[in-house]
Amino acid sequence: MHPMLNIAARAARSAGNLIARNLGQQGSFEVEEKNKDDLVTTIDKQCEKVIIDTLLKSYRDHSVLAEESGVVGNPDSEYQWVIDPIDGTTNFVKGIAHCAVSIALRHNGKTEVGVVFDPMLNEMFTAARGEGAFLNGHRIRVSPRDSLDGAIIGTAFPTRYRDRMPAYLDLFSRLIANCADVRRMGSASLDLCYVACGRFDGYLEQGLKPWDFAAGDLILREAGGIVSDFMGETGYVKSGNLVSGNPKMLRALLKICDVQNLPAILK
């Protein structure tokens, strides 16, 4: 295994152990609302500290971009770790066993390593640039499905951006009319990994943050998938509005998105 990937996997597993021990144990940890419908717990913060300590112990000159702590370490480093200690905090708080630790490493802006760990299923998704994507050490590939007919698509409602909801509901209506079914699971990093291993045929979401998709993005691409924004371009890195799947599925989803009829906020 790539040495930096090995360290990332170790950090993810340590944080995952904390998640597994505390899942749904309301009353044993504090819960705050950072913004409307955006929760953070003391377990998020503990997991983040464990991850940062593990990464910087091995790579002292690196920086870390963390959901709760911001930038930590050397801000001038060519290497930056991008981490989400609990992707799916609401699920975690409610005792819904679907959440993950997400860790990515960027070198001069390019993602080189990605790890997404689901501690409840003990599933470790990993990838290093140019070396393929894996689930618990076994190679994974995206679904070969070539149309929306019969497809299962992952998505999420833009609850943090409720002004987008009317446009999204129009998109959702067209999507559900053309595929077999839609899943809304509550963890973007796992949604991307589920596309990577063929459980989902595609996935789209709006308004994500870098720590939500940095690791899953690489894992999906190393599994043969493509990620774009709603225009079919690479703007998702900045906008957080992304569409993904194998090449044919991506084209089908972009056609459904029909960006010309959506407001500029979705582009």
Short mmCIF file of all heavy atoms in Angstrom, two decimals, residues 80-142:
data_model
loop_
_atom_site.label_atom_id
_atom_site.label_comp_id
_atom_site.label_asym_id
_atom_site.label_seq_id
_atom_site.Cartn_x
_atom_site.Cartn_y
_atom_site.Cartn_z
N GLN A 80 -1.48 18.85 1.46
CA GLN A 80 -2.59 19.19 2.34
C GLN A 80 -3.56 18.01 2.47
O GLN A 80 -4.06 17.50 1.48
CB GLN A 80 -3.36 20.40 1.83
CG GLN A 80 -4.49 20.84 2.77
CD GLN A 80 -5.25 22.05 2.29
OE1 GLN A 80 -5.93 22.00 1.26
NE2 GLN A 80 -5.13 23.16 3.00
N TRP A 81 -3.80 17.60 3.70
CA TRP A 81 -4.80 16.58 3.99
C TRP A 81 -6.16 17.26 4.14
O TRP A 81 -6.26 18.31 4.78
CB TRP A 81 -4.45 15.85 5.28
CG TRP A 81 -3.16 15.09 5.23
CD1 TRP A 81 -1.93 15.55 5.57
CD2 TRP A 81 -2.99 13.73 4.83
NE1 TRP A 81 -0.99 14.57 5.39
CE2 TRP A 81 -1.60 13.44 4.93
CE3 TRP A 81 -3.85 12.74 4.37
CZ2 TRP A 81 -1.08 12.19 4.62
CZ3 TRP A 81 -3.34 11.49 4.06
CH2 TRP A 81 -1.96 11.22 4.19
N VAL A 82 -7.19 16.67 3.55
CA VAL A 82 -8.55 17.21 3.62
C VAL A 82 -9.41 16.17 4.32
O VAL A 82 -9.57 15.05 3.81
CB VAL A 82 -9.10 17.51 2.21
CG1 VAL A 82 -10.48 18.14 2.31
CG2 VAL A 82 -8.14 18.43 1.45
N ILE A 83 -9.95 16.52 5.48
CA ILE A 83 -10.59 15.49 6.30
C ILE A 83 -11.99 15.89 6.78
O ILE A 83 -12.28 17.05 7.06
CB ILE A 83 -9.73 15.12 7.54
CG1 ILE A 83 -9.61 16.29 8.51
CG2 ILE A 83 -8.35 14.67 7.09
CD1 ILE A 83 -8.89 15.92 9.79
N ASP A 84 -12.85 14.91 6.81
CA ASP A 84 -14.17 15.01 7.43
C ASP A 84 -14.22 13.91 8.49
O ASP A 84 -14.26 12.72 8.17
CB ASP A 84 -15.27 14.81 6.40
CG ASP A 84 -16.65 15.16 6.94
OD1 ASP A 84 -16.81 15.20 8.18
OD2 ASP A 84 -17.57 15.39 6.14
N PRO A 85 -14.21 14.28 9.77
CA PRO A 85 -14.13 13.25 10.82
C PRO A 85 -15.36 12.36 10.90
O PRO A 85 -15.25 11.17 11.17
CB PRO A 85 -13.95 14.07 12.10
CG PRO A 85 -14.53 15.42 11.77
CD PRO A 85 -14.22 15.64 10.31
N ILE A 86 -16.54 12.94 10.67
CA ILE A 86 -17.77 12.14 10.57
C ILE A 86 -18.61 12.72 9.44
O ILE A 86 -19.25 13.76 9.60
CB ILE A 86 -18.60 12.14 11.88
CG1 ILE A 86 -17.77 11.73 13.09
CG2 ILE A 86 -19.80 11.21 11.72
CD1 ILE A 86 -18.54 11.74 14.41
N ASP A 87 -18.59 12.06 8.31
CA ASP A 87 -19.45 12.47 7.21
C ASP A 87 -20.78 11.75 7.38
O ASP A 87 -20.87 10.54 7.18
CB ASP A 87 -18.81 12.12 5.87
CG ASP A 87 -19.66 12.58 4.70
OD1 ASP A 87 -20.48 13.49 4.89
OD2 ASP A 87 -19.51 12.03 3.60
N GLY A 88 -21.79 12.50 7.79
CA GLY A 88 -23.07 11.91 8.14
C GLY A 88 -23.33 12.09 9.63
O GLY A 88 -23.82 11.17 10.30
N THR A 89 -23.02 13.28 10.17
CA THR A 89 -23.16 13.52 11.60
C THR A 89 -24.60 13.35 12.08
O THR A 89 -24.85 12.81 13.16
CB THR A 89 -22.63 14.92 11.98
OG1 THR A 89 -21.23 14.99 11.68
CG2 THR A 89 -22.82 15.19 13.46
N THR A 90 -25.56 13.81 11.28
CA THR A 90 -26.97 13.65 11.70
C THR A 90 -27.33 12.18 11.85
O THR A 90 -27.99 11.79 12.82
CB THR A 90 -27.90 14.34 10.69
OG1 THR A 90 -27.59 15.74 10.63
CG2 THR A 90 -29.36 14.16 11.09
N ASN A 91 -26.90 11.35 10.90
CA ASN A 91 -27.12 9.90 11.04
C ASN A 91 -26.48 9.39 12.33
O ASN A 91 -27.09 8.61 13.08
CB ASN A 91 -26.51 9.16 9.84
CG ASN A 91 -27.34 9.27 8.59
OD1 ASN A 91 -28.47 9.74 8.61
ND2 ASN A 91 -26.79 8.82 7.48
N PHE A 92 -25.25 9.83 12.58
CA PHE A 92 -24.52 9.40 13.79
C PHE A 92 -25.30 9.75 15.04
O PHE A 92 -25.49 8.91 15.93
CB PHE A 92 -23.14 10.05 13.79
CG PHE A 92 -22.41 9.92 15.09
CD1 PHE A 92 -21.85 8.71 15.47
CD2 PHE A 92 -22.27 11.01 15.94
CE1 PHE A 92 -21.18 8.58 16.69
CE2 PHE A 92 -21.59 10.89 17.15
CZ PHE A 92 -21.05 9.67 17.52
N VAL A 93 -25.77 10.99 15.13
CA VAL A 93 -26.49 11.44 16.32
C VAL A 93 -27.77 10.64 16.52
O VAL A 93 -28.12 10.26 17.64
CB VAL A 93 -26.79 12.95 16.21
CG1 VAL A 93 -27.76 13.40 17.32
CG2 VAL A 93 -25.51 13.76 16.28
N LYS A 94 -28.47 10.36 15.42
CA LYS A 94 -29.75 9.67 15.50
C LYS A 94 -29.62 8.15 15.63
O LYS A 94 -30.62 7.44 15.78
CB LYS A 94 -30.59 9.98 14.25
CG LYS A 94 -31.02 11.44 14.15
CD LYS A 94 -32.01 11.80 15.25
CE LYS A 94 -32.57 13.20 15.05
NZ LYS A 94 -33.57 13.54 16.11
N GLY A 95 -28.39 7.66 15.57
CA GLY A 95 -28.19 6.21 15.69
C GLY A 95 -28.43 5.47 14.40
O GLY A 95 -28.62 4.25 14.40
N ILE A 96 -28.41 6.18 13.27
CA ILE A 96 -28.53 5.55 11.95
C ILE A 96 -27.14 5.12 11.51
O ILE A 96 -26.24 5.95 11.37
CB ILE A 96 -29.15 6.52 10.92
CG1 ILE A 96 -30.54 6.96 11.40
CG2 ILE A 96 -29.22 5.89 9.54
CD1 ILE A 96 -31.13 8.11 10.59
N ALA A 97 -26.95 3.84 11.30
CA ALA A 97 -25.60 3.29 11.11
C ALA A 97 -25.10 3.48 9.68
O ALA A 97 -24.81 2.52 8.95
CB ALA A 97 -25.59 1.80 11.48
N HIS A 98 -25.03 4.75 9.27
CA HIS A 98 -24.52 5.06 7.93
C HIS A 98 -23.78 6.39 8.01
O HIS A 98 -24.38 7.47 7.88
CB HIS A 98 -25.66 5.13 6.92
CG HIS A 98 -25.18 5.26 5.50
ND1 HIS A 98 -24.74 4.18 4.76
CD2 HIS A 98 -25.06 6.34 4.69
CE1 HIS A 98 -24.39 4.59 3.55
NE2 HIS A 98 -24.57 5.90 3.49
N CYS A 99 -22.49 6.31 8.25
CA CYS A 99 -21.64 7.49 8.30
C CYS A 99 -20.21 7.01 8.07
O CYS A 99 -19.94 5.81 8.05
CB CYS A 99 -21.77 8.23 9.63
SG CYS A 99 -21.53 7.21 11.10
N ALA A 100 -19.29 7.95 7.86
CA ALA A 100 -17.94 7.55 7.46
C ALA A 100 -16.91 8.59 7.87
O ALA A 100 -17.23 9.76 8.10
CB ALA A 100 -17.88 7.33 5.95
N VAL A 101 -15.68 8.13 7.91
CA VAL A 101 -14.51 9.01 8.03
C VAL A 101 -13.95 9.20 6.62
O VAL A 101 -13.79 8.22 5.88
CB VAL A 101 -13.43 8.38 8.93
CG1 VAL A 101 -12.24 9.33 9.08
CG2 VAL A 101 -14.00 7.99 10.28
N SER A 102 -13.69 10.44 6.25
CA SER A 102 -13.17 10.73 4.91
C SER A 102 -11.84 11.48 5.03
O SER A 102 -11.77 12.52 5.69
CB SER A 102 -14.17 11.57 4.12
OG SER A 102 -13.66 11.92 2.86
N ILE A 103 -10.80 10.95 4.38
CA ILE A 103 -9.46 11.55 4.42
C ILE A 103 -8.87 11.54 3.01
O ILE A 103 -8.81 10.49 2.37
CB ILE A 103 -8.52 10.79 5.37
CG1 ILE A 103 -9.10 10.72 6.79
CG2 ILE A 103 -7.14 11.45 5.40
CD1 ILE A 103 -8.28 9.88 7.76
N ALA A 104 -8.44 12.70 2.54
CA ALA A 104 -7.78 12.79 1.24
C ALA A 104 -6.48 13.56 1.40
O ALA A 104 -6.34 14.39 2.30
CB ALA A 104 -8.68 13.50 0.23
N LEU A 105 -5.52 13.29 0.53
CA LEU A 105 -4.26 14.03 0.50
C LEU A 105 -4.11 14.70 -0.86
O LEU A 105 -4.16 14.03 -1.90
CB LEU A 105 -3.07 13.11 0.74
CG LEU A 105 -1.69 13.78 0.58
CD1 LEU A 105 -1.49 14.86 1.65
CD2 LEU A 105 -0.56 12.76 0.63
N ARG A 106 -3.91 16.00 -0.85
CA ARG A 106 -3.66 16.76 -2.07
C ARG A 106 -2.20 17.20 -2.12
O ARG A 106 -1.66 17.67 -1.11
CB ARG A 106 -4.58 17.97 -2.16
CG ARG A 106 -6.04 17.62 -2.39
CD ARG A 106 -6.92 18.86 -2.37
NE ARG A 106 -8.30 18.54 -2.74
CZ ARG A 106 -9.31 19.38 -2.60
NH1 ARG A 106 -9.11 20.59 -2.12
NH2 ARG A 106 -10.53 19.03 -2.96
N HIS A 107 -1.58 17.06 -3.29
CA HIS A 107 -0.22 17.55 -3.51
C HIS A 107 -0.29 18.60 -4.61
O HIS A 107 -0.66 18.29 -5.74
CB HIS A 107 0.72 16.42 -3.91
CG HIS A 107 2.11 16.87 -4.17
ND1 HIS A 107 2.82 16.55 -5.31
CD2 HIS A 107 2.94 17.65 -3.43
CE1 HIS A 107 4.02 17.10 -5.25
NE2 HIS A 107 4.11 17.78 -4.12
N ASN A 108 0.02 19.83 -4.25
CA ASN A 108 -0.10 20.95 -5.18
C ASN A 108 -1.48 21.00 -5.84
O ASN A 108 -1.61 21.25 -7.04
CB ASN A 108 1.00 20.89 -6.24
CG ASN A 108 2.37 21.18 -5.67
OD1 ASN A 108 2.51 21.97 -4.73
ND2 ASN A 108 3.40 20.54 -6.21
N GLY A 109 -2.50 20.74 -5.03
CA GLY A 109 -3.87 20.85 -5.50
C GLY A 109 -4.46 19.61 -6.13
O GLY A 109 -5.67 19.55 -6.36
N LYS A 110 -3.64 18.60 -6.42
CA LYS A 110 -4.14 17.35 -7.00
C LYS A 110 -4.29 16.29 -5.92
O LYS A 110 -3.37 16.07 -5.14
CB LYS A 110 -3.19 16.84 -8.09
CG LYS A 110 -3.25 17.61 -9.39
CD LYS A 110 -2.45 16.91 -10.47
CE LYS A 110 -2.60 17.60 -11.82
NZ LYS A 110 -1.84 16.88 -12.88
N THR A 111 -5.43 15.61 -5.92
CA THR A 111 -5.66 14.58 -4.92
C THR A 111 -4.88 13.33 -5.28
O THR A 111 -5.02 12.78 -6.37
CB THR A 111 -7.16 14.24 -4.80
OG1 THR A 111 -7.90 15.45 -4.58
CG2 THR A 111 -7.41 13.29 -3.64
N GLU A 112 -4.04 12.88 -4.36
CA GLU A 112 -3.16 11.74 -4.59
C GLU A 112 -3.60 10.48 -3.84
O GLU A 112 -3.33 9.37 -4.27
CB GLU A 112 -1.72 12.09 -4.18
CG GLU A 112 -1.11 13.25 -4.95
CD GLU A 112 -0.87 12.91 -6.41
OE1 GLU A 112 -0.72 11.71 -6.72
OE2 GLU A 112 -0.83 13.83 -7.25
N VAL A 113 -4.28 10.68 -2.72
CA VAL A 113 -4.68 9.56 -1.86
C VAL A 113 -6.08 9.82 -1.33
O VAL A 113 -6.42 10.97 -1.01
CB VAL A 113 -3.68 9.41 -0.68
CG1 VAL A 113 -4.27 8.59 0.46
CG2 VAL A 113 -2.37 8.79 -1.15
N GLY A 114 -6.90 8.79 -1.27
CA GLY A 114 -8.24 8.92 -0.70
C GLY A 114 -8.63 7.70 0.12
O GLY A 114 -8.39 6.57 -0.31
N VAL A 115 -9.20 7.96 1.28
CA VAL A 115 -9.69 6.88 2.16
C VAL A 115 -11.07 7.27 2.67
O VAL A 115 -11.26 8.40 3.15
CB VAL A 115 -8.75 6.66 3.37
CG1 VAL A 115 -9.42 5.75 4.40
CG2 VAL A 115 -7.43 6.08 2.93
N VAL A 116 -12.02 6.38 2.55
CA VAL A 116 -13.35 6.55 3.16
C VAL A 116 -13.63 5.27 3.95
O VAL A 116 -13.67 4.18 3.37
CB VAL A 116 -14.44 6.80 2.11
CG1 VAL A 116 -15.82 6.83 2.77
CG2 VAL A 116 -14.18 8.10 1.36
N PHE A 117 -13.84 5.42 5.24
CA PHE A 117 -14.03 4.26 6.11
C PHE A 117 -15.39 4.29 6.77
O PHE A 117 -15.74 5.25 7.47
CB PHE A 117 -12.94 4.22 7.18
CG PHE A 117 -13.06 3.07 8.15
CD1 PHE A 117 -13.17 1.76 7.69
CD2 PHE A 117 -13.06 3.29 9.51
CE1 PHE A 117 -13.29 0.69 8.57
CE2 PHE A 117 -13.16 2.23 10.41
CZ PHE A 117 -13.28 0.93 9.94
N ASP A 118 -16.17 3.24 6.55
CA ASP A 118 -17.47 3.04 7.21
C ASP A 118 -17.23 2.09 8.38
O ASP A 118 -17.09 0.88 8.19
CB ASP A 118 -18.47 2.44 6.23
CG ASP A 118 -19.84 2.17 6.86
OD1 ASP A 118 -19.95 2.20 8.10
OD2 ASP A 118 -20.78 1.91 6.11
N PRO A 119 -17.17 2.62 9.61
CA PRO A 119 -16.83 1.76 10.76
C PRO A 119 -17.93 0.78 11.14
O PRO A 119 -17.66 -0.25 11.76
CB PRO A 119 -16.57 2.76 11.88
CG PRO A 119 -17.40 3.95 11.51
CD PRO A 119 -17.37 4.01 10.02
N MET A 120 -19.17 1.07 10.75
CA MET A 120 -20.26 0.18 11.14
C MET A 120 -20.28 -1.09 10.30
O MET A 120 -20.64 -2.17 10.78
CB MET A 120 -21.60 0.92 11.03
CG MET A 120 -21.63 2.26 11.75
SD MET A 120 -20.91 2.23 13.42
CE MET A 120 -22.02 1.10 14.23
N LEU A 121 -19.88 -0.98 9.04
CA LEU A 121 -19.79 -2.15 8.16
C LEU A 121 -18.35 -2.65 8.01
O LEU A 121 -18.11 -3.63 7.30
CB LEU A 121 -20.38 -1.83 6.78
CG LEU A 121 -21.87 -1.52 6.72
CD1 LEU A 121 -22.29 -1.22 5.28
CD2 LEU A 121 -22.69 -2.68 7.28
N ASN A 122 -17.42 -1.95 8.66
CA ASN A 122 -15.99 -2.26 8.54
C ASN A 122 -15.56 -2.29 7.07
O ASN A 122 -14.86 -3.19 6.62
CB ASN A 122 -15.66 -3.60 9.21
CG ASN A 122 -14.15 -3.80 9.36
OD1 ASN A 122 -13.40 -2.84 9.53
ND2 ASN A 122 -13.71 -5.05 9.28
N GLU A 123 -15.99 -1.26 6.32
CA GLU A 123 -15.65 -1.15 4.90
C GLU A 123 -14.67 0.00 4.70
O GLU A 123 -15.01 1.16 4.99
CB GLU A 123 -16.90 -0.96 4.05
CG GLU A 123 -17.78 -2.21 4.02
CD GLU A 123 -18.88 -2.13 2.99
OE1 GLU A 123 -19.33 -1.01 2.67
OE2 GLU A 123 -19.32 -3.22 2.53
N MET A 124 -13.49 -0.33 4.20
CA MET A 124 -12.45 0.66 3.94
C MET A 124 -12.27 0.81 2.44
O MET A 124 -11.77 -0.08 1.76
CB MET A 124 -11.14 0.21 4.58
CG MET A 124 -9.97 1.18 4.41
SD MET A 124 -10.05 2.60 5.54
CE MET A 124 -9.57 1.79 7.10
N PHE A 125 -12.73 1.95 1.91
CA PHE A 125 -12.54 2.28 0.50
C PHE A 125 -11.24 3.08 0.37
O PHE A 125 -11.04 4.05 1.12
CB PHE A 125 -13.70 3.12 -0.02
CG PHE A 125 -15.03 2.42 -0.02
CD1 PHE A 125 -15.87 2.47 1.09
CD2 PHE A 125 -15.46 1.71 -1.14
CE1 PHE A 125 -17.11 1.83 1.08
CE2 PHE A 125 -16.69 1.07 -1.16
CZ PHE A 125 -17.52 1.13 -0.04
N THR A 126 -10.38 2.68 -0.56
CA THR A 126 -9.08 3.35 -0.69
C THR A 126 -8.73 3.55 -2.16
O THR A 126 -9.16 2.79 -3.03
CB THR A 126 -7.96 2.54 -0.03
OG1 THR A 126 -7.89 1.24 -0.65
CG2 THR A 126 -8.20 2.37 1.47
N ALA A 127 -7.89 4.56 -2.39
CA ALA A 127 -7.36 4.78 -3.74
C ALA A 127 -6.11 5.63 -3.64
O ALA A 127 -6.00 6.51 -2.78
CB ALA A 127 -8.38 5.46 -4.64
N ALA A 128 -5.16 5.37 -4.54
CA ALA A 128 -4.01 6.23 -4.78
C ALA A 128 -3.99 6.54 -6.27
O ALA A 128 -4.33 5.66 -7.08
CB ALA A 128 -2.71 5.56 -4.34
N ARG A 129 -3.65 7.75 -6.61
CA ARG A 129 -3.71 8.17 -8.01
C ARG A 129 -2.95 7.20 -8.91
O ARG A 129 -1.79 6.90 -8.68
CB ARG A 129 -3.14 9.59 -8.16
CG ARG A 129 -3.13 10.10 -9.60
CD ARG A 129 -2.60 11.52 -9.67
NE ARG A 129 -3.51 12.46 -9.06
CZ ARG A 129 -4.56 13.01 -9.68
NH1 ARG A 129 -4.80 12.70 -10.95
NH2 ARG A 129 -5.33 13.87 -9.07
N GLY A 130 -3.63 6.72 -9.95
CA GLY A 130 -3.02 5.83 -10.93
C GLY A 130 -2.90 4.38 -10.52
O GLY A 130 -2.41 3.56 -11.28
N GLU A 131 -3.41 4.04 -9.31
CA GLU A 131 -3.24 2.67 -8.81
C GLU A 131 -4.55 1.93 -8.62
O GLU A 131 -4.58 0.82 -8.09
CB GLU A 131 -2.45 2.71 -7.49
CG GLU A 131 -1.04 3.26 -7.66
CD GLU A 131 -0.26 3.28 -6.37
OE1 GLU A 131 -0.70 2.63 -5.38
OE2 GLU A 131 0.80 3.93 -6.32
N GLY A 132 -5.67 2.53 -9.03
CA GLY A 132 -6.96 1.85 -8.90
C GLY A 132 -7.63 2.11 -7.57
O GLY A 132 -7.06 2.75 -6.68
N ALA A 133 -8.86 1.63 -7.44
CA ALA A 133 -9.66 1.80 -6.23
C ALA A 133 -9.98 0.44 -5.64
O ALA A 133 -10.17 -0.55 -6.36
CB ALA A 133 -10.95 2.55 -6.54
N PHE A 134 -10.10 0.40 -4.30
CA PHE A 134 -10.25 -0.87 -3.60
C PHE A 134 -11.24 -0.76 -2.44
O PHE A 134 -11.40 0.31 -1.84
CB PHE A 134 -8.89 -1.33 -3.05
CG PHE A 134 -7.86 -1.56 -4.12
CD1 PHE A 134 -7.10 -0.50 -4.62
CD2 PHE A 134 -7.65 -2.83 -4.63
CE1 PHE A 134 -6.16 -0.71 -5.63
CE2 PHE A 134 -6.71 -3.05 -5.63
CZ PHE A 134 -5.97 -1.98 -6.13
N LEU A 135 -11.89 -1.86 -2.14
CA LEU A 135 -12.74 -2.01 -0.97
C LEU A 135 -12.20 -3.19 -0.17
O LEU A 135 -12.21 -4.33 -0.65
CB LEU A 135 -14.19 -2.25 -1.36
CG LEU A 135 -15.15 -2.72 -0.25
CD1 LEU A 135 -15.13 -1.77 0.93
CD2 LEU A 135 -16.57 -2.88 -0.80
N ASN A 136 -11.68 -2.88 1.03
CA ASN A 136 -11.06 -3.90 1.87
C ASN A 136 -10.03 -4.73 1.09
O ASN A 136 -9.95 -5.95 1.22
CB ASN A 136 -12.11 -4.81 2.50
CG ASN A 136 -12.95 -4.08 3.54
OD1 ASN A 136 -12.60 -2.99 4.00
ND2 ASN A 136 -14.08 -4.66 3.91
N GLY A 137 -9.27 -4.03 0.25
CA GLY A 137 -8.18 -4.68 -0.48
C GLY A 137 -8.56 -5.32 -1.80
O GLY A 137 -7.69 -5.81 -2.52
N HIS A 138 -9.85 -5.32 -2.14
CA HIS A 138 -10.31 -5.93 -3.38
C HIS A 138 -10.65 -4.83 -4.40
O HIS A 138 -11.36 -3.88 -4.07
CB HIS A 138 -11.53 -6.82 -3.14
CG HIS A 138 -11.26 -7.95 -2.19
ND1 HIS A 138 -10.56 -9.09 -2.56
CD2 HIS A 138 -11.58 -8.11 -0.88
CE1 HIS A 138 -10.47 -9.90 -1.53
NE2 HIS A 138 -11.08 -9.34 -0.49
N ARG A 139 -10.19 -5.00 -5.61
CA ARG A 139 -10.38 -4.01 -6.65
C ARG A 139 -11.87 -3.78 -6.93
O ARG A 139 -12.65 -4.75 -6.95
CB ARG A 139 -9.69 -4.47 -7.94
CG ARG A 139 -9.68 -3.45 -9.07
CD ARG A 139 -8.71 -2.32 -8.78
NE ARG A 139 -8.65 -1.36 -9.86
CZ ARG A 139 -7.70 -1.34 -10.80
NH1 ARG A 139 -6.74 -2.26 -10.78
NH2 ARG A 139 -7.68 -0.43 -11.73
N ILE A 140 -12.27 -2.54 -7.11
CA ILE A 140 -13.66 -2.21 -7.41
C ILE A 140 -13.75 -1.43 -8.72
O ILE A 140 -12.80 -0.75 -9.13
CB ILE A 140 -14.34 -1.40 -6.27
CG1 ILE A 140 -13.53 -0.13 -5.93
CG2 ILE A 140 -14.53 -2.27 -5.04
CD1 ILE A 140 -14.21 0.76 -4.89
N ARG A 141 -14.93 -1.54 -9.37
CA ARG A 141 -15.20 -0.82 -10.62
C ARG A 141 -16.62 -0.27 -10.58
O ARG A 141 -17.50 -0.84 -9.92
CB ARG A 141 -15.06 -1.75 -11.84
CG ARG A 141 -13.67 -2.29 -12.05
CD ARG A 141 -12.72 -1.22 -12.53
NE ARG A 141 -13.08 -0.71 -13.86
CZ ARG A 141 -12.41 0.26 -14.46
NH1 ARG A 141 -11.37 0.84 -13.87
NH2 ARG A 141 -12.77 0.68 -15.67
N VAL A 142 -16.84 0.80 -11.32
CA VAL A 142 -18.19 1.37 -11.41
C VAL A 142 -19.11 0.42 -12.17
O VAL A 142 -18.66 -0.47 -12.90
CB VAL A 142 -18.16 2.73 -12.13
CG1 VAL A 142 -17.43 3.76 -11.28
CG2 VAL A 142 -17.53 2.62 -13.51
#
